[in-house]
Structures are given as structure tokens and as C-alpha cells.
Amino acid sequence: MRDPYLQVSGLTKSYGSVQALGGVSLDVEKGEFVTFLGPSGSGKTTTLMIIAGFENATSGSVRVGGRSLSNIPPHARNIGIVFQNYALFPHKTALQNIMFPLDMRGVPAAEAERKARAMLDLVGLSGYGDRWPKDMSGGQQQRIALARALVFEPSLLLLDEPLGALDKNLREQMQIEIKRIQKSLGVTTIFVTHDQSEAMTMSDRIAVFEKGRIDQIGTPQEVYRTPSTPFVARFIGDSNLLPGTVLDPDQGLVRTEHLGLMRLPSRLAAAAGAPVTLMLRPESIHLAGLAAGVSEDAPNRADISVHTVVPYGDSTLLIGRAGGADLRIRLRGPEADGIGSGAALSVLWPASAIHAIPAV
Amino acid sequence: MLSVLNRGAAAPGALKPWLLLLPLVLFLCAFFLVPLGQVALMSVTEPEFGLGNYAHLTSDSLYLQVFINTFLTALGVALCCLLLGYPLAYLMAQSSPRVAALLMLLVTMSFWTSFLVRTYAWMVLLGNNGPITAALAFLGWNPPPHLLFTRLSSTLAMVHILIPYMVMSLYSVMKRIDPALLRAAESLGARPWSVFRQVYLPLSAPGMVNGATLVFMICLGFYVTPVLLGSPQEQMVAGLIGTQIEEFLDFGQASAMAMVLLASTMIVLTVYHRRFGLDRLWG
């Protein structure tokens, strides 16, 4: 079997008695775009810094293209990094910033300038070579930082929350832009963020970090539809988590604490009586009578009394009480018209919308 | 209507901060500006009205020599402060806050000791019977060199006295250098020396300029240390002004020299201000 391009295995990191990483392993294929997603303090940036060589792992290893990176100082790793606040050199112009890594590699000045200008073209800032970083907008500085990290054809591109400082519209624009540039160069990329929508739109695969470990690695669809832990379900997208116990694993029947009996689409790989958490996305719950193709039969239904209505424009979030717990329902377009706080609704959902998360 | 009322209320409020400055302004007027005016007046009226004192300054090469000597000494002191202060400030900027605070304490400690005590301490250290001369003699330098009352001894003592200004100027600038820039340089392929040469050094340059300007200007008018420790043959301007007054009672000539010294300091300040902005001088 072929070795993966980037191989991170068993990374641990302790600061005194505090463990920042508790065994992080993942494989990344060449050209892949993988996002490290997690809240602050979950270990995603620490892992990135170990790959970059700015932190030493307590144990574990990082290999790129089959070569171990331990004992290689950061300057010899050939890894491009875009830092959170871009870290452009304030005493160098945009072009000089981009030429810096080539200069460090002894590339002749004329060739370095040609390559740097080509990079400026690629990031869409052709005429901006002579600008000083302080005279550029956040988005422009971002592009220069990206160009500088890519101009020396690094074996790996690391992006450390690069969009955090930008406003929302610019952020979306840069997401598309970074993705386009990454694809056109085919560079293997690790992207660190705590923003789940950023992770969803950009990644080939997402690694969800929690408390110094990776909870789940998978495509955006996989982590969204079949989260492997309640944390992943909560962190990515909006969700209803229903604790319960397995009633009949062969029939896929679960008794939930708040909404009674639920029927799953397939049999469960758990013994009767085992605890289980069911996840139900708010957008897969429908109003009874309006849901075409959804069986009206019990058990996958509930009667709720709405107490909160949050309009989003393209959809409306309803939060209502059902069986002593809150249930979140997201209705598209005009479906929610006329529903106000205090309304009593009957809702249902297809068995296929329920995902069982085994208790750990 | 309302806005008119507001404006009326705001006017006295806007004046108040300036009133706070009044005591200091009065003090400076009475004890600095008025005497300074008197000195300026004396330079053109003593012993007779005219520019005679200034003409004398340009005609006698001794004065020119003293001014050149003063500038060279100030330059040397500034350079020595820079060379000695840079590594220390760098160390402080890289250290943990605790260690940095301790080092800063050690640097500023010399501020707490009297100026004169420190100058006399150097006399003891460098004197003909002092430990340094003895050590040099012991190492086989025979006869041992005269260290005291030379340009070396006055330069050493002035560097000692002025180095805290340099260290603080450098430290305040170095502390603001974003460590991410150094990491970025490293990730882009710069070896440690290149990181320093290409990124750290240029970014710390404002601190070097600030510190050197500060030390240079203070040094231009330095009196006590060069007079007590320096070579009588290589006097500095302030020392010569003192001699003029104490020994020759030539107030006119002394005042003219003081005005030229003031003017040269103002020129250095103006050049600095044009290039970097005066507000940055004190960090």
C-alpha cells in the first residue's frame, strides 16, 4: 500500500502536567484540502505548529512524502504558512514580501521577481507590487501573504485561521479565492479554523478536534450527516440530540427520554438496553400534512408548542417544547408563515433523518 | 437651540486641560526662558554690543577644535551605547516578563545612584593606583598606561551614565516587534542569521535611531563627567564654557558658545524631527 503524502501519527504534547494533545493521527493525500476544525484550545493550532516545526511534540511523528520532519528546523521544512494576522514584513513592499522566500533560497533576483509577479497575477493583485502592507486592505494583505507562502512551491500549505480578521462578505470571497488558488496549484493544504461553515465550504475532508484529540475525520457530508460523537453533532451545524436507550436493535427501535419511541432506518449495532444518542437535524423535521413522501405513521413524530421564532430570511428556526425538552425545527421559505410564538404544531420526520451516535 | 447651549457649555471645558499646564509653563518661563534670553542677550552685548564674540569663535581654531572634539566624543559615546546596549535590549525583549523586569531594574539602578558618585567611582577604578591599572601592570603592561584624564575614561563614564536611555529606547521598540514576523521569516526559509539581518534588525532600527539621538544630544552638553574625568587637552564645549566663566569671567564669550551649542542641538533635533517625527523620541 502506498504511503500517504502527509502522515501524522500519535502526536502528543504536554506543557508540564497539562496535556495539549493526546495522540493525534491523520493521513493526508497529495493535493488534498483538509481542515482542522475545533474550538479554541482543542489542539488544532498546536498540531499545525508541530507540523510547521515551531513546537516540538512530546511524542509521535510527522512525515511528508515519506521523510520524517523531526530534527528538521522550520526554515528547512519547505512548508508555506499563512498566519492569522498575515505577518507581512512591514518594511518590505508587497513584491519584496513575495520575493523574500526566493531570495532566501538563492534564486537570482530577476527570476525571483518574475515568479513573484506571476504570483501577484494569480492572487489578482497585479498592480500592487510596490504597495506597502500598511497601505493595503485586510483582504489584499491576505492575498499577499498567500502569494508569499506559495511562491516557493512548498510541499505543504498551512493556513492558521487566516480569515478570522476579515468581515463576513470578504471572508466568503476569500474562501472561494483560496480554494481556487489551492486547486489550480494542487498544493496539499491544512486549514485551521473554528468556523464550521468555512470548514464545510472549503474542505475535501474535515478533522474535528476536541480536547487534544481528533473526534472524527471525514468529508463535510460525512461529518454533517453521520457525526461520530455528540460533540461533532453539536459543533457542526444545528442539531437536536435526543438521549435514549436501545429497545430492539434488530428493528431499529429506540426509546428516547423526551420524545418516546423512535424508529431508525436500519438495525442498530448495539445491545438492547444500551444507551444511545439520536441526532435529528432541524431541517429534516417537517410540519405534519405538508411533508410529501414522509410516512404519517407514528413513531417518528411529535407535538410541540412553539416558544421562539427566529426568522433567517431564507428559512425560519422554530424552537418548541416537546416532552419536556426543546426541539429545534428549521422550515424553508414560506412554510413557517403565520406560525407565531405559542402555536401548537404537529411535526414528523423520516426515519432516514435519524442518526444514532453510540455512547462512548 | 440645544446645540447652541451645548457649545456654550463645552467651551470652558475645553480650556481646562490647558489650565493644568499653567504652573509648569510659568515655572519654565521664569527659570528657563528668561535666563536663556539673558544668555542670548549677553552673547551680543558683553563686553560690547555686536557679533564680536561670534566672530572670535570662528577666528580662533581652538574653538572649532573643541566643537569637533565634542561632536566626535558624543558620536563615539552614542556608538558605544548602541553596541553595548543592543545585545542587552535584545536579551530583555526575548526574556520572560519576570527576567525582563529584573534586567530593566539592573539597567535603571544606575539612575538611582548619584551622578557624581558614579563619576568619582570611575576615578577610583581608573586611577593610577586603581585596580584596573594594577591588573594591567600585573599582566605585564609595563609601565601601565594612564587611563584617567583621557578621552577613554570620560567616554567610558559617559557610556555608563547614558546607556539606560539607549537600552530603554531599544527595548520599547523591540518589544513591539511581532514574533509572528520572525516565525514567518523562518517558515519562508530564512536561517536564524537571515531572520535577524532581514527582519529583526530593520524593524529595530527606529529604536537604534531614537537611542542614538537621545544619547548624542545629552552628550553634546555634558559637563561634570568630561570635566572631572576627561583629558584637559581634549575639552568638550560645556567644559570650555565653564572655564571661560570661572577662570576668565568672560560671560560674553561663554554665552556665545552656549548659543552655538544650543543651535547645534536644535539642528540635530530638527533633522531627527523631519525624518522621524519628534513624538517618537521618547518611545
Side-chain angles (χ1 to χ4, degrees):
Chain A
M1 205 182 100
R2 201 168 56 87
D3 273 347
Y5 184 65
L6 167 68
Q7 194 172 23
V8 175
S9 37
L11 284 189
T12 67
K13 174 75 183 174
S14 307
Y15 298 99
S17 60
V18 182
Q19 193 172 47
L21 289 185
V24 168
S25 301
L26 87 156
D27 294 340
V28 177
E29 293 302 326
K30 199 171 171 69
E32 216 180 352
F33 191 115
V34 173
T35 296
F36 291 180
L37 176 67
S40 53
S42 61
K44 55 192 196 307
T45 298
T46 306
T47 305
L48 195 79
M49 287 297 135
I50 290 172
I51 295 173
F54 293 123
E55 299 262 13
N56 285 316
T58 307
S59 68
S61 71
V62 178
R63 304 173 78 85
V64 173
R67 189 175 69 132
S68 170
L69 288 187
S70 40
N71 302 321
I72 298 180
H75 71 79
R77 289 193 176 195
N78 205 40
I79 292 176
I81 307 176
V82 175
F83 291 83
Q84 218 160 2
N85 295 312
Y86 325 132
L88 293 180
F89 304 128
H91 61 296
K92 292 180 187 289
T93 62
L95 190 70
Q96 287 168 343
N97 263 282
I98 303 174
M99 285 170 67
F100 182 84
L102 300 174
D103 194 23
M104 289 298 111
R105 285 166 175 74
V107 177
E111 193 192 338
E113 187 173 337
R114 189 179 55 74
K115 283 188 172 178
R117 289 205 185 278
M119 228 39 228
L120 269 175
D121 279 347
L122 184 69
V123 299
L125 290 176
S126 310
Y128 290 76
D130 294 329
R131 294 270 188 107
W132 298 98
K134 66 171 166 41
D135 297 330
M136 306 182 97
S137 70
Q140 289 167 343
Q141 291 187 34
Q142 173 73 76
R143 286 163 199 251
I144 298 298
L146 190 63
R148 187 179 67 173
L150 287 170
V151 71
F152 58 98
E153 291 161 26
S155 54
L156 213 55
L157 176 66
L158 308 182
L159 304 157
D160 184 13
E161 307 220 15
L163 305 179
L166 303 178
D167 65 49
K168 190 171 172 292
N169 285 335
L170 198 54
R171 205 153 63 206
E172 278 168 9
Q173 201 184 321
M174 281 309 295
Q175 286 173 16
I176 297 167
E177 189 71 5
I178 289 176
K179 192 67 196 163
R180 173 183 71 81
I181 293 166
Q182 187 264 340
K183 266 213 174 121
S184 75
L185 298 177
V187 60
T188 313
T189 302
I190 306 281
F191 182 90
V192 166
T193 184
H194 60 264
D195 183 322
Q196 46 109 357
S197 72
E198 228 164 76
M200 292 296 288
T201 53
M202 297 175 78
S203 319
D204 294 325
R205 283 192 301 154
I206 299 175
V208 185
F209 278 71
E210 187 203 3
K211 293 177 185 157
R213 290 171 188 281
I214 296 179
D215 268 20
Q216 187 174 9
I217 308 177
T219 64
Q221 247 86 22
E222 280 167 0
V223 291
Y224 187 78
R225 290 194 185 145
T226 56
S228 62
T229 66
F231 174 81
V232 175
R234 266 196 301 268
F235 200 75
I236 297 178
D238 202 1
S239 62
N240 294 294
L241 293 177
L242 313 166
T245 43
V246 176
L247 205 61
D248 182 342
D250 292 326
Q251 300 238 22
L253 282 177
V254 171
R255 178 170 296 285
T256 62
E257 261 175 53
H258 304 290
L259 295 182
L261 209 58
M262 292 258 187
R263 187 188 299 279
L264 273 63
S266 54
R267 65 178 303 277
L268 274 162
V276 70
T277 302
L278 300 186
M279 183 202 72
L280 190 53
R281 294 291 185 191
E283 70 273 18
S284 45
I285 302 178
H286 305 275
L287 295 177
L290 280 176
V294 178
S295 156
E296 298 265 342
D297 297 346
N300 295 340
R301 59 185 304 153
D303 294 312
I304 67 166
S305 66
V306 176
H307 62 72
T308 307
V309 179
V310 186
Y312 281 91
D314 57 342
S315 65
T316 305
L317 177 69
L318 306 176
I319 307 174
R321 293 301 275 184
D326 272 350
L327 196 65
R328 302 165 74 85
I329 302 158
R330 198 180 267 264
L331 297 178
R332 280 175 174 287
E335 278 180 42
D337 287 358
I339 299 176
S341 179
L345 298 176
S346 189
V347 295
L348 47 80
W349 51 89
S352 63
I354 306 172
H355 168 67
I357 302 168
V360 253
Chain B
M1 189 62 200
L2 195 64
S3 69
V4 172
L5 280 177
N6 276 344
R7 214 176 297 155
L15 268 177
K16 262 179 204 157
W18 294 102
L19 282 175
L20 293 176
L21 273 179
L22 201 58
L24 183 65
V25 168
L26 287 178
F27 178 85
L28 284 178
C29 276
F31 298 105
F32 180 67
L33 279 183
V34 171
L36 190 66
Q38 276 180 331
V39 172
L41 196 64
M42 266 195 287
S43 73
V44 290
T45 54
E46 290 278 340
E48 58 197 25
F49 185 79
L51 293 172
N53 288 323
Y54 292 96
H56 189 217
L57 276 186
T58 51
S59 65
D60 193 334
S61 69
L62 166 78
Y63 297 111
L64 183 65
Q65 194 53 52
V66 168
F67 269 101
I68 289 173
N69 190 32
T70 306
F71 271 83
L72 286 181
T73 306
L75 210 61
V77 170
L79 211 64
C80 286
C81 282
L82 182 60
L83 290 178
L84 291 173
Y86 198 93
L88 178 59
Y90 180 81
L91 184 70
M92 280 165 62
Q94 303 299 308
S95 307
S96 67
R98 273 178 69 114
V99 176
L102 187 75
L103 287 171
M104 184 58 103
L105 192 75
L106 288 175
V107 169
T108 50
M109 193 131 79
S110 62
F111 271 164
W112 307 350
T113 331
S114 148
F115 205 76
L116 217 53
V117 169
R118 275 182 288 161
T119 303
Y120 280 117
W122 278 106
M123 285 177 115
V124 174
L125 279 174
L126 297 171
N128 282 345
N129 301 315
I132 293 176
T133 313
L136 287 175
F138 179 77
L139 290 171
W141 195 327
N142 216 355
H146 285 285
L147 298 174
L148 203 52
F149 310 124
T150 60
R151 184 183 282 194
L152 175 79
S153 60
S154 63
T155 302
L156 261 181
M158 282 192 281
V159 167
H160 174 219
I161 287 163
L162 295 176
I163 207 164
Y165 293 101
M166 177 61 85
V167 172
M168 285 192 286
S169 296
L170 286 170
Y171 178 71
S172 71
V173 169
M174 286 174 173
K175 206 58 207 165
R176 284 198 296 255
I177 296 177
D178 184 358
L181 293 176
L182 310 179
R183 284 187 161 190
E186 221 181 328
S187 78
L188 294 168
R191 290 162 184 281
W193 169 249
S194 299
V195 174
F196 178 76
R197 175 68 197 78
Q198 295 272 343
V199 181
Y200 202 88
L201 195 66
L203 290 178
S204 63
M208 297 171 22
V209 174
N210 289 357
T213 309
L214 212 53
V215 168
F216 181 79
M217 284 193 315
I218 298 174
C219 212
L220 277 185
F222 226 122
Y223 177 69
V224 178
T225 304
V227 163
L228 290 179
L229 293 175
S231 152
Q233 284 81 44
E234 294 174 343
Q235 267 193 318
M236 286 175 68
V237 175
L240 189 59
I241 293 172
T243 314
Q244 296 276 352
I245 291 174
E246 284 167 19
E247 290 177 23
F248 306 111
L249 292 172
D250 191 347
F251 283 89
Q253 195 61 65
S255 300
M257 285 174 68
M259 293 320 289
V260 172
L261 182 60
L262 182 65
S264 14
T265 311
M266 297 300 278
I267 289 169
V268 174
L269 260 183
T270 310
V271 169
Y272 178 89
H273 180 59
R274 284 275 162 80
R275 184 74 182 77
F276 306 102
L278 208 51
D279 46 330
R280 276 186 21 193
L281 192 54
W282 297 97

